[in-house]
Amino acid sequence: MKRIAIFPGSFDPFTKGHEDIVNRSLAMFDEVIIAIGFNSQKNKRYFDIDFMVDKIEKVFLKNSKVKIVVYNELTANFAKKYNATALVRGLRNTTDFEYENSISQINAHLNPELESVFLITNPSYASVSSSIIREVHRYGGDVLDFLPYDLNDQ
Ligand code: ADP
């Protein structure tokens, strides 16, 4: 049976830290679905959703084991629909741990067939966060080093 993992998040923007988690997941699973949670009614994104999907697609252009899907439902249900048996998340610090711990308990309740898998961040990317990148970018700072694509490329 094909081992399918989902990697859910906002990815606003998708960073080198996220890319690292996807690449390491590929060593364990046959397919990794980058699942971008987005509700057009509720979410105010900084980076446009279609723009970000396009950028992520380019990062994994040569890797047919990576899929990118935008979703707007319970992650546990989304995983069922895509026959995923693992939910991958990255852990940078204890704050991430506290949050992920509670979510994984709820997800285990909602979808007992879905195992949460946590990857400890590569130290090179431990301080990279989408929210800090948004702040730096908002005020005109250079964020190129933190992203696996060029924001200015069309
Ligand atoms: P969310 O809005 O659901 O927290 P994010 O897009 O911020 O989603 O992050 C998605 C996942 O990637 C989370 O598991 C988060 O902990 C992880 N992550 C974020 N930044 C990094 C990083 N620099 N290195 C590794 N994992 C990361």
Side-chain angles (χ1 to χ4, degrees):
M1 209 177 79
K2 205 169 166 189
R3 291 163 309 164
I4 302 173
I6 58 165
F7 178 38
S10 317
F11 306 116
D12 188 21
F14 188 86
T15 69
K16 282 187 178 173
H18 294 134
E19 181 193 28
D20 181 61
I21 297 290
V22 173
N23 286 332
R24 288 161 59 197
S25 302
L26 286 169
M28 295 183 282
F29 301 102
D30 301 311
E31 185 176 303
V32 175
I33 300 171
I34 301 172
I36 312 179
F38 178 62
N39 178 335
S40 58
Q41 310 286 302
K42 274 194 181 163
N43 295 139
K44 278 253 177 296
R45 288 183 62 92
Y46 180 79
F47 290 101
D48 181 74
I49 187 75
D50 295 329
F51 174 81
M52 196 45 58
V53 167
D54 183 63
K55 291 295 174 200
I56 304 172
E57 274 173 355
K58 284 187 177 131
V59 173
F60 297 105
L61 200 61
K62 295 201 178 94
N63 202 328
S64 57
K65 290 165 73 181
V66 178
K67 288 202 165 52
I68 299 127
V69 180
V70 177
Y71 76 107
N72 177 19
E73 64 179 306
L74 270 178
T75 305
N77 291 348
F78 173 83
K80 251 182 229 165
K81 227 187 250 173
Y82 281 80
N83 297 318
T85 50
L87 185 165
V88 177
R89 295 281 286 177
L91 290 183
R92 285 164 295 188
N93 46 44
T94 52
T95 311
D96 275 355
F97 172 79
E98 295 294 340
Y99 179 66
E100 298 298 337
N101 188 18
S102 336
I103 298 191
S104 70
Q105 311 289 346
I106 304 283
N107 281 333
H109 176 80
L110 295 172
N111 180 350
E113 271 102 67
L114 183 67
E115 191 67 65
S116 292
V117 175
F118 301 102
L119 300 185
I120 299 290
T121 308
N122 178 329
S124 324
Y125 308 123
S127 58
V128 177
S129 83
S130 296
S131 58
I132 293 178
I133 290 175
R134 288 197 297 274
E135 281 309 291
V136 173
H137 187 264
R138 198 189 304 274
Y139 294 106
D142 186 0
V143 293
L144 241 62
D145 285 349
F146 307 116
L147 307 177
Y149 46 83
D150 189 338
L151 273 180
N152 303 312
D153 266 1
Q154 285 313 304

